[in-house]
Amino acid sequence: IDDALFEGSENIAITLFNPVGLTLSTPSTHTVSVTDTDIAPTISFHTTASTTLESSGFTPVKVILSDFTVSDIDVDYQFLNGTVTHPSDPAEDHSGASGTLTIPAGATFADILVPIVNDSTDEENENFEIMLTNPVGAILGVQTVHLVEITDDDVAPTIEFSQVVSSVVEGTPQLSVFL
């Protein structure tokens, strides 16, 4: 039956047995190979970028299939440091590790869950990228890189004078500033 569902090539074994009034001869098994002519689904990120708070704990990054399948789909992913302007440091900002994501048969998406490290350092927002590679049972779609921006939510340090007014002796100026 020709359908529009990608299922890969299949084999059907037909075996003759228990004939009545006949003698069973060999070969008694015949194998038919059915080549699937349907196109494999594409796999890609749902969006090009996302933003998460540094204190979020983790951030989900959605990976989607263009169509469901009858078997699990695997795709490898790896973390990249991000853009040149504010790249994240994996040891300090997230603890995501490269791996393999499985989208179960019948499903059309799954999430890569990335642990986000919460620190107390006031800093610029930072980012990193995740890249999809080596799909099994699907082909790479257009959006294979996803940018995650980590929004810093730490309080900026303050600076102030310890006294509003002070006096010094001429010739020995000294003024201290404490952070």
Side-chain angles (χ1 to χ4, degrees), residues 42-46 59-65 69 71-79 97-105 107-114 130-138 140 143-144 146:
T42 59
I43 190 166
S44 61
F45 285 107
H46 184 249
T59 188
V61 179
K62 187 174 292 225
V63 177
I64 60 170
L65 282 175
T69 65
S71 59
D72 291 353
I73 302 296
D74 291 329
V75 65
D76 294 338
Y77 58 90
Q78 64 183 15
F79 287 83
S98 298
T100 300
L101 178 70
T102 299
I103 299 179
T108 56
F109 70 90
D111 290 333
I112 298 171
L113 296 176
V114 183
I130 308 172
M131 183 172 65
L132 300 176
T133 60
N134 305 320
V136 175
L140 289 175
Q143 188 57 49
T144 59
H146 182 87

Side-chain angles (χ1 to χ4, degrees), residues 3-9 36-41 67-71 73 136-138:
D3 59 19
L5 181 63
F6 177 77
E7 54 212 350
S9 296
D36 190 4
T37 58
D38 301 309
I39 299 171
D67 199 1
F68 71 93
T69 65
V70 296
S71 59
I73 302 296
V136 175

Side-chain angles (χ1 to χ4, degrees), residues 1 18 26 29 31 39 46 49 52 55 65 72 76-77 80 83 95 103 109 114 121-122 128 136 145-146 157 176:
I1 297 176
N18 296 332
T26 57
T29 301
T31 302
I39 299 171
H46 184 249
T52 189
S55 60
L65 282 175
D72 291 353
D76 294 338
Y77 58 90
L80 309 172
T83 64
S95 56
I103 299 179
F109 70 90
V114 183
T121 304
D122 180 53
F128 62 91
V136 175
V145 176
H146 182 87
S176 298

